[in-house]
Amino acid sequence: MGQIFSRNADLWLRLALLGLFGGLAVVFLSASLLARSDYATLRGWTIDQPVPFSHQHHVGGLKLDCQYCHTSVATSAQASLPPTETCMTCHSQIWTNADLLEPLRQSLARNQPLHWNRVAQLPDYVYFHHDVHVTAGVGCVECHGRVDTMPLMRRAEPFQMQWCLDCHRDPAPRLRPREAVTQMDWQTREDRRELGQRLLREYHIDTRDLTSCSVCHR
Ligand code: HEC
Ligand code: HEC
Ligand code: HEC
Ligand code: HEC
Ligand code: HEC
């Protein structure tokens, strides 16, 4: 009996299957890379603001502490954004006629807060608290980057679940003394892991449950 399929048919079938699976693998791989890319996570992203406020000038240059403006960062869930009055402690005297600051003067005159566009934000279903992190000695820089070098606020980290978990699994090397939490250029000669282990004990941090779902989804 003659063969229905040529000898090569089997080979062609294999090649076709290989091509199909290879193609699918490429699609999945690029989709997962894209999901983690800076494009998808908005890392490095900036947004226009009503007033082009510069952390580089006010923090890097004038050496204002974060808590001068983000007053509740160590005491509540939200860090909070400063009211216009905070800006006016200085800007009622300096740069009083600058066009750039017109929205600020309007806001004061009309008694309406400025609407700042948010750069760092989590979805509603994620539970996050600033104060626990600040009292545990996690520096602002760990999550927000070198804010003192940013002319416009940039999103420094991806803020995805994996990123939170990476630290929650092993926070010790990323802890610092509480007094240094807002210090952008803090360094130590001590070994970070040893220091971290000591701080874990000193601050009574229980790292056992930090990765269970109910910590962040409740
Ligand atoms: C402790 C005083 C102080 C406070 C508080 C302050 N500023 Fe300033 N601001 C300055 C000084 C000084 C300059 C000039 C900086 C320079 O040119 O180096 C400035 C400059 C600016 C500029 C011009 C662009 C720039 O960055 O040089 C803008 C816009 C501005 N401030 C907005 C604000 C806003 C909005 C707030 C409130 C959230 C605020 N400032 C709070 C002192 C202050
Ligand atoms: C003079 C006041 C002032 C000081 C000091 C200041 N900030 Fe801000 N910060 C602001 C204002 C106003 C905004 C809103 C506009 C913007 O995003 O730039 C803001 C926004 C932010 C945001 C983005 C929040 C969001 O979701 O959009 C972060 C993060 C932040 N600040 C961190 C810091 C850190 C960390 C420090 C100290 C190293 C600091 N800030 C010091 C006034 C200040
Ligand atoms: C463990 C990571 C982490 C640390 C440490 C941290 N932040 Fe944040 N920050 C976040 C996240 C996540 C958000 C978004 C929260 C949300 O959308 O509910 C945020 C939001 C903010 C905002 C926006 C306004 C608000 O009230 O939430 C400001 C301002 C801010 N952070 C300032 C600071 C300052 C200043 C420090 C240091 C004293 C600091 N953060 C430390 C993760 C962190
Ligand atoms: C750089 C390290 C670091 C990062 C990044 C971080 N955390 Fe944490 N987080 C900690 C530490 C350390 C504690 C423990 C505080 C304690 O128990 O005193 C903690 C505690 C918490 C708690 C309180 C747990 C409890 O039971 O009281 C929540 C909620 C939380 N983190 C949410 C988040 C979320 C959501 C993210 C990501 C957006 C995040 N964290 C990113 C270090 C981090
Ligand atoms: C340390 C904090 C933290 C813990 C612990 C955590 N998550 Fe999340 N989760 C997040 C954050 C932050 C997001 C939002 C991610 C984003 O916006 O991309 C998220 C998003 C999600 C989503 C939405 C889909 C996605 O992946 O973006 C699901 C589902 C989820 N988490 C399930 C879980 C489960 C199940 C567990 C326990 C095994 C868990 N999470 C533990 C922080 C956490």
Side-chain angles (χ1 to χ4, degrees):
M1 250 204 17
Q3 279 176 310
I4 300 175
F5 298 109
S6 70
R7 275 164 179 271
N8 283 339
D10 189 43
L11 180 68
W12 286 120
L13 187 65
R14 280 170 198 243
L15 281 177
L17 283 176
L18 196 72
L20 183 65
F21 285 115
L24 282 177
V26 169
V27 169
F28 278 120
L29 197 68
S30 27
S32 78
L33 281 179
L34 185 67
R36 284 170 212 203
S37 68
D38 291 350
Y39 176 70
T41 61
L42 302 176
R43 187 165 160 179
W45 171 75
T46 60
I47 190 170
D48 275 342
Q49 298 288 6
V51 175
F53 176 78
S54 164
H55 281 80
Q56 187 178 42
H57 272 157
H58 294 84
V59 178
L62 301 174
K63 307 282 176 223
L64 296 177
D65 187 83
C66 313
Q67 293 180 84
Y68 182 89
C69 293
H70 305 299
T71 48
S72 61
V73 74
T75 51
S76 79
Q78 247 98 54
S80 80
L81 294 175
T84 303
E85 285 76 11
T86 307
C87 312
M88 283 307 181
T89 46
C90 296
H91 288 294
S92 56
Q93 282 139 58
I94 37 174
W95 278 53
T96 47
N97 294 317
D99 288 343
L100 274 182
L101 296 181
E102 181 56 24
L104 212 56
R105 292 190 293 271
Q106 297 251 339
S107 150
L108 193 73
R110 294 184 187 159
N111 197 18
Q112 275 171 357
L114 276 184
H115 177 79
W116 298 107
N117 293 309
R118 294 288 306 274
V119 179
Q121 201 161 24
L122 291 174
D124 290 341
Y125 58 83
V126 183
Y127 182 83
F128 179 81
H129 254 251
H130 271 97
D131 55 358
V132 272
H133 291 94
V134 170
T135 43
V138 183
C140 315
V141 75
E142 296 285 349
C143 303
H144 296 303
R146 286 298 296 262
V147 164
D148 59 331
T149 66
M150 298 180 186
L152 274 183
M153 180 53 62
R154 251 183 295 118
R155 184 154 164 157
E157 295 293 343
F159 285 14
Q160 281 179 326
M161 181 158 118
Q162 193 54 49
W163 172 77
C164 310
L165 288 172
D166 280 345
C167 183
H168 276 207
R169 259 187 220 111
D170 181 25
R174 299 173 66 177
L175 300 181
R176 54 176 73 195
R178 273 176 199 152
E179 313 81 78
V181 160
T182 60
Q183 214 176 304
M184 292 277 107
D185 56 0
W186 177 82
Q187 279 179 333
T188 175
R189 287 171 184 220
E190 222 177 320
D191 180 67
R192 282 299 291 268
R193 184 166 287 280
E194 277 169 33
L195 171 69
Q197 295 296 350
R198 207 181 70 226
L199 293 175
L200 282 179
R201 288 192 298 276
E202 206 173 301
Y203 298 160
H204 306 292
I205 298 169
D206 181 1
T207 57
R208 257 180 322 158
D209 302 332
L210 280 183
T211 52
S212 71
C213 314
S214 60
V215 167
C216 307
H217 305 293
R218 31 179 121 175

